[in-house]
Amino acid sequence: MRSWTDNLRFAFQPVINLTTGGVAGLEILARPESGDILAEARRQPELDVRLAVSAVRAAVRKETLLPLYVNVFAGTLADLGGLPSLHDVVREAGRLPWEVTIDIGPPYAHVPRQALLDAVSALRGQGFRICADGVGDGDLPLRLLVDLAPDLVKLDASLLARPAAVRAMRTLCDQLGALLSVEGVETEGQCSTARAAGAQLAQGELFAPPARLPAADVYVPPRSAEVMAMPPSGPSVREFVRPAALLPATASAAQVRALLTGAPDVSGVLLVDRSGVPVRSVHRSRFLLSLSGRYGHALYADRPAARLGDPPRTVGVNATAWEVLDVVAVGDRGRTSDDVAVVDEHGRCVGVVRLADLVRALAETRVEEAAGLNPLTRLPGSDAVTGEVDRRIAAGRAFALSWLDVDHFKQVNDGAGFAAGDELIRAIGRALQQAATGATRVGHIGGDDFLVLADPEALVPLACTVLDAPWSAGGRPVTLSLATVLCAPGSVADHRQAAACLAPLKKAAKALQGTGWVVGRAGQAGHEVRRGSTRTPAPAG
C-alpha cells in the first residue's frame, strides 16, 4: 500500500542576507509529484505536522549545517499547540531548536487568536524562532502581527511596488526586534528596491531556485549606491549575522576537526551548553594548527575540543556594529579574526558576525554619507532628513519639521561678498549642529536653506539658540526666517505632505519684519507668530 510520503519530495531554497551576500538559512519546501498535499495539510493539522517533521529529516539527510526554515499553517498551531513531535525530531537529528525557524503561514482568518499566541509562546519556550509569513499578500491582521512579535517578517515581493509600505514595515520590525525579509524576488530591480527600502533578507529565483540539493552557489547582485540610510548609532548587528557552526560543549577535538574539514567555509566552531549558550570558541586556523603539529593528533583528537578553544566573544542581538568593534578592540589582538557570537536575551547563540563584514559595511556607510554632505557646511542634504521624516511617520511619532533661511540672502552676497555669505552659512550650520540634541536632525538643502527635524519638546530651545544670536555678514546685520509645522501622529502621510504643509508657513515667516518665526499644525488652518511683527503697509499715494 502506497504511503502519502511515496510521491513527496522536498526542495531547498536559500534565504539570502542582503548585507553580507551570504546564505542565512534554507527554507524547506514540500514538492509532491502528484496531488495537492498542502491543501490537505491546511485542513488536517496532524498531516501538516508530519510534513514539518519529514522536512527536518530531509534536511538532515542532506547534511546541511545551515539554519532551517520549516513551514506550518497558523491553524495547525492553534489546534495542536507546541508541536512536541517537531521538537523531538530536531533533537534526534542533532540540531538545536534555535537553529530552526517556524514559518507560520496563512490563512489566519477564523484561527483562534489566543490559541495561536499560546502555541507560539510554547514554541519559543522550546527554543524555536518564529517567522510571520505571507505578510502584505495574506490575511494577517496588523494587531496580531504585533502580538506575535516574530523574529522574522516575510513580505511578498509584490509589495516592492509600494516601497513606502516596505519602509513602514521595516520601521515596525525595528520596534518589534524582528528582521525583514522579502520572498519571491525575481529581478535585480526588485533586489535593489528591497535593499533601499530596508529589507535585510530575501529569497527568490534571482538568487537560487528551489532545488533538491541545498544550493552551493547563489547569485547576489552587487550593492548599488541607493541604500537605506543607517541610523546615527550605526547599523544593527542583526544585519550581519551569519549561521554559526555549533557543537555541544562536550564535543571532542576529532568531532570539531570532522566538521571543519567537511565545511571549508566555516571559520570557527562554537561549543554550546545544553541551553545553547556559548561556552568556548574554537578558531579554525589555530585549532587545525594545533592538531597538525607533531603529536598533535595523538594528544588532542580524543580529548575535549574545549581545551583548544577560547572564551567566546559575545554581543547581544540588539547591539550595533560599532559595539561589536568595541568588543573586538578591547580583546586579545591575536583574536581579531575570530567570529563574534550573537546571543539572544537568554544568552543563546543565534549566529556569528565577522569583523570583515562590519568594517566593509561601515566604510561603505561613511562613503555614502560623505557623498551626500553639502560641501560648504558638511551637513547632509534633504534626503537624510526626509528619510527620517518617513520613518517617524511610519512609527507613529510626533515631530516638528522646520525650514530656516537668511532674509534677502542675495542682497547679503551682493553687498558683503560671496565669501562673507559663505562664512555666514557655515556659522549658521555650526550653530544648528551645536543646538541639535538627541533625535534632532539638521540638513543643508542648498544656498541659505536649512531643514531641521526635531521632537516637539526640543523645538523651542533649538529655535531660541539660533534666532537669539546676532547674525551679520561683512559687518552688516542680517535676520533669519524660521517656519515650523508640528505633525501629530496620522496628520501627514509622508515627507512630501509635510513639506507641502511647510511651504505656506515659510511664505508667512518671510512676510514678517526682522527675524521671524511662525508655527502651524498639519491639517489645521492658520498659524502662530512666535517671532517678528507684521510689516506695516506703505501709505497710499
Side-chain angles (χ1 to χ4, degrees):
M1 181 177 176
R2 288 177 61 84
S3 167
W4 62 274
T5 59
D6 291 342
N7 68 344
L8 180 65
R9 300 293 182 268
F10 289 93
F12 301 87
Q13 186 170 44
V15 178
I16 305 300
N17 185 314
L18 291 176
T19 300
T20 66
V23 179
L26 293 172
E27 182 174 1
I28 315 172
L29 304 166
R31 289 291 186 263
E33 294 178 0
S34 62
D36 190 352
I37 196 170
L38 294 180
E40 296 179 36
R42 189 180 295 117
R43 296 188 297 267
Q44 301 178 39
E46 293 80 5
L47 176 58
D48 194 24
V49 174
R50 290 163 67 190
L51 279 176
V53 168
S54 298
V56 173
R57 288 179 176 152
V60 172
R61 289 195 294 271
K62 304 302 181 184
E63 297 183 347
T64 177
L65 295 174
L66 289 166
L68 305 177
Y69 293 75
V70 179
N71 293 286
V72 177
F73 289 111
T76 297
L77 294 181
D79 283 353
L80 301 183
L83 309 183
S85 59
L86 183 60
H87 183 267
D88 291 343
V89 75
V90 169
R91 287 291 190 181
E92 289 168 9
R95 301 299 295 263
L96 301 170
W98 39 94
E99 296 179 275
V100 179
T101 298
I102 307 298
D103 272 19
I104 305 175
Y108 291 88
H110 311 302
V111 172
R113 177 178 171 279
Q114 192 56 51
L116 176 59
L117 294 176
D118 290 344
V120 167
S121 178
L123 288 170
R124 280 208 173 93
Q126 295 169 7
F128 291 109
R129 304 196 179 281
I130 303 298
C131 168
D133 203 348
V135 177
D137 193 42
D139 61 345
L140 176 58
L142 191 57
R143 177 185 172 190
L144 179 57
L145 175 63
V146 172
D147 289 343
L148 286 172
D151 302 286
L152 176 68
V153 171
K154 280 189 179 180
L155 297 183
D156 187 85
S158 62
L159 212 59
L160 293 174
R162 301 168 178 82
V166 182
R167 287 193 294 269
M169 188 56 65
R170 169 61 192 271
T171 300
L172 176 60
C173 285
D174 288 344
Q175 296 292 319
L176 296 176
L179 292 176
L180 179 63
S181 180
V182 178
E183 54 185 350
V185 175
E186 298 180 351
T187 68
E188 293 195 14
Q190 287 181 321
C191 180
S192 177
T193 300
R195 278 174 165 153
Q200 296 131 320
L201 304 173
Q203 60 190 116
E205 296 280 340
L206 173 68
F207 312 106
R212 293 289 177 85
L213 293 176
D217 297 304
V218 296
Y219 169 71
V220 182
R223 295 173 66 89
S224 67
E226 185 184 6
V227 295
M228 186 176 180
M230 297 292 183
S233 57
S236 168
V237 74
R238 291 172 179 269
E239 300 184 23
F240 305 92
V241 174
R242 291 176 177 264
L246 305 177
L247 284 176
T250 55
S252 68
Q255 289 175 293
V256 173
R257 183 176 183 276
L259 188 157
L260 291 175
T261 54
D265 292 335
V266 172
S267 55
V269 176
L270 287 173
L271 305 179
V272 297
D273 64 16
R274 291 180 62 85
S275 299
V277 176
V279 294
R280 300 293 283 180
S281 174
V282 180
H283 184 268
R284 181 188 188 92
S285 299
R286 294 198 299 272
F287 174 82
L288 293 178
L289 186 63
S290 297
L291 258 65
S292 64
R294 191 176 184 183
Y295 309 123
H297 190 272
L299 284 173
Y300 298 116
D302 296 325
R303 296 190 178 184
R307 295 188 178 185
L308 296 176
D310 299 289
R313 290 175 165 175
T314 61
V315 295
V317 73
N318 295 317
T320 66
W322 293 111
E323 290 172 314
V324 179
L325 293 184
D326 289 340
V327 170
V328 174
V330 300
D332 183 351
R333 291 186 178 181
R335 296 185 60 194
T336 54
S337 62
D338 287 20
D339 293 340
V340 177
V342 182
V343 298
D344 63 14
E345 65 273 16
H346 304 293
R348 300 177 303 203
C349 180
V350 300
V352 296
V353 291
R354 295 180 181 175
L355 181 62
D357 290 337
L358 301 181
V359 172
R360 186 182 307 111
L362 292 172
E364 289 174 353
T365 301
R366 287 293 178 257
V367 170
E368 289 154 8
E369 288 177 352
L373 296 181
N374 186 288
L376 184 62
T377 59
R378 309 305 296 167
L379 287 171
S382 61
D383 286 349
V385 178
T386 55
E388 180 62 22
V389 168
D390 284 335
R391 285 189 282 277
R392 296 195 189 192
I393 291 171
R397 293 175 55 186
F399 61 89
L401 183 63
S402 300
W403 188 313
L404 176 76
D405 72 351
V406 178
D407 294 331
H408 311 296
F409 184 61
K410 185 179 185 303
Q411 296 177 21
V412 172
N413 267 348
D414 291 345
F418 70 87
D422 286 352
E423 182 52 40
L424 172 64
I425 297 304
R426 280 193 288 265
I428 293 173
R430 287 194 298 270
L432 287 170
Q433 281 183 297
Q434 293 168 1
T437 58
T440 300
R441 302 285 178 267
V442 179
H444 182 190
I445 59 177
D448 62 322
D449 294 314
F450 295 86
L451 266 183
V452 182
L453 173 65
D455 291 333
E457 58 271 18
L459 177 63
V460 173
L462 182 146
C464 291
T465 298
V466 177
L467 298 182
D468 286 346
W471 298 105
S472 63
R476 300 165 180 247
V478 298
T479 59
L480 308 180
S481 292
L482 178 65
T484 299
V485 58
L486 298 173
C487 298
S491 61
V492 290
D494 55 26
H495 72 269
R496 296 176 183 82
Q497 190 173 353
C501 294
L502 195 56
L505 298 175
K506 180 189 178 186
K507 184 177 180 180
K510 300 295 287 183
L512 298 174
Q513 287 185 329
T515 291
W517 180 22
V518 300
V519 178
R521 297 182 180 275
Q524 298 182 19
H527 60 266
E528 172 191 356
V529 176
R530 296 196 180 180
R531 289 286 180 96
S533 57
T534 305
R535 296 182 185 275
T536 304

